[in-house]
Structure formats: structure tokens, C-alpha cells
Amino acid sequence: MKFGVNLGILEPVTCGPDNMSRNALWYWESMYKWLSATDFPGFEMTYKPWDFNLGRSGMPFTRASMETFYGSLKGFREHIGELGIPEIAALHITAGDVVADYQTRSLDESRWLEGLLEFSKEAVDSAAELGAEGVVVSPVPDFACLKEMGLFENSSGPERLMEDLTRTVDRMGEIAGQAGIKLAVRNEYWSLLHGDHVDDLLDAADEKILYSPDVASLYISKVDIYEKIRKYKDRLGFVLLNDTFFEDRHDIYRQPLPEYPQTGAQRVYCMVGDGKVDTTGIVKVLKEVGYEGWAICGSHEATNVPKAILNLRWYINYVLKKV
């Protein structure tokens, strides 16, 4: 098992004081060095549709930003290699970002599945150029977004969406496979695939589609995480080993901006080891089932990024690796 880090540990909008400086190239260059100094072998990186502001920022979230500052995706890959980070585990794309892109460009957001398929082609090409192992996709927008688009106005709406989603994910898997890239599905607690509902997609999809469990989301959804890992032991990939102390007592998962609750606890995620998720027990089960892939660690939106990276390395070395 390889312990990598999720670059979502740095969210430039919310990560502490002077947060807008987190958009700058110099800050991201510093973070690559912090990750290298703490011996992280690789990371999972967020990948988003083209955006003017992201394209000119130092964040490596788009093809445009990497080409702007490093000449090409290959140039970015070579650069972080020279800094001491040998691998890129995966790119993470989301249906929510596709919907947001459609809204920004005044396109018909109801056609987001078509947009997700097209964007996945770009992500697969980019993953291949970066030498990444896979593409992880969160294939459904949040409940509130689907409600706004009228999905629940008809009782058969969710069922039809699942059929269309299964075909789309299977096609994405075919495209990824042709490029030698793995495709994995991730389910958050606020999506139509929350908790055990991800089984509806995975049971219907091609068995080559991997499952990337978000263990904090499974905890919030009150799912038996160990059972879920054992069920998909032969289809696991890019396990997101994150943590939370959040209890959804107000059906936040159905509300807009579910990762930024307006009622009850205001923070959803915390550093690995600081929350209520039994991360050591999860690592033990992963070892029991023979999992040898990536375990992607990190606090989503850490308030102090250098401190979070150091704490994460300590927890991996002196807790998780001793399981």
C-alpha cells in the first residue's frame, strides 16, 4: 500500500489567513517542496474544466495553468520529479465542476452528463501525459443541484438518471482503458450515490470500473466501512483515507453547499486521526484483503497547510504504517 496525499489539502478560498495568496505559483512551488521533504511518493490532484482565472493562477488544476507555467503537462511532471515527487497517483474530476462550468458559460446544464463524458476524455488524455495511474470521478452533482434541475419532480427521475449514468461511466471506463488509465468512482455523502447507494452504480457498471471509497463520507452516511471495503476488495482503487467528526443531524447532505453547513457544526473534515473515523481499523482491513494500491490521505481544506503536511507524515509513519 502506498500512502499519497490529496492536494485538496490546500483549498485557496478557505485555507486560513491571507488565503488568496494560495492562488500564487510561489505558494504551490513551496508546497511541492514540503511534500518532497516529507517523503510523499505522489499525490492525487484536482482537475477542473478550463477557467480563465484558474488558467492564469499557479494552481495546477487545469491544463491551461500547467501549460502556462510549465510549457506542457509533461513539463509539469518533469518539474515535480526534479523537486523529488516521483509519481502522480490520479486526477480527480467531478460532475459538480462540469455543471458549474456549464452555468458559467450559459450552457444547458441539464446536459451535464454529456459534458462529463467529454471532460473525462480530456482528463484521461491529461492523466496519460502526466504519467498518472488513474482518473477518479465523482460522477453526480449534489442533491440540491439535481433538485434545481428538476430531477425529483418525477418519481422515475432518479432511476432514469442511474441508467444514463451507468452508460456514461462505462463509456468513460472504455476511454480510460484504451489509454492505459484506470477509472475509479468516488461517492460523497451529499450525492445521489451516498452511502450504500453507490452499489446501484457499481453493481450495474462494468467490473473494470474501480471503487474509490471516501471513508469520511461513508462514516457520515452511517455505512459499515469495513463491509464496503470487503465487498469491493477486487475493485478498490485510490482509497481516500480522510477523517471527520461531523454528524449530519440536519440533513445537510440535501442542502446547497453541503461541505459548508449553515446549520449545526460548520466544519465537515479534519486531519486524519483527529476525527471519529477508525482509520487504523480501515488500514488493517485493507491489508487483510490484500490491497496494494494508493491510500490517498489528507484533510480537505486544512487551515494550516505546512502543519497539516507534517502532522500527516507523522501519523502515517508512527500510526498507520504500524498497523
Side-chain angles (χ1 to χ4, degrees), residues 242-294:
N242 54 359
D243 207 344
T244 185
F245 44 75
F246 182 71
E247 302 283 347
D248 189 2
R249 298 187 176 95
H250 305 282
D251 286 343
I252 298 296
Y253 78 103
R254 287 184 172 273
Q255 299 177 20
L257 300 175
E259 292 189 337
Y260 305 93
Q262 302 301 303
T263 305
Q266 303 295 294
R267 185 170 175 81
V268 174
Y269 303 101
C270 62
M271 281 304 304
V272 179
D274 289 348
K276 296 182 178 180
V277 177
D278 182 13
T279 49
T280 55
I282 291 169
V283 168
K284 181 179 180 181
V285 174
L286 288 171
K287 288 184 176 182
E288 287 176 357
V289 301
Y291 180 67
E292 297 180 351
W294 286 95

Side-chain angles (χ1 to χ4, degrees), residues 40-62:
F40 278 100
F43 52 71
E44 175 187 293
M45 56 190 291
T46 301
Y47 191 75
K48 294 177 177 286
W50 181 90
D51 177 274
F52 176 74
N53 288 316
L54 282 178
R56 64 182 180 150
S57 78
M59 299 180 288
F61 288 173
T62 66

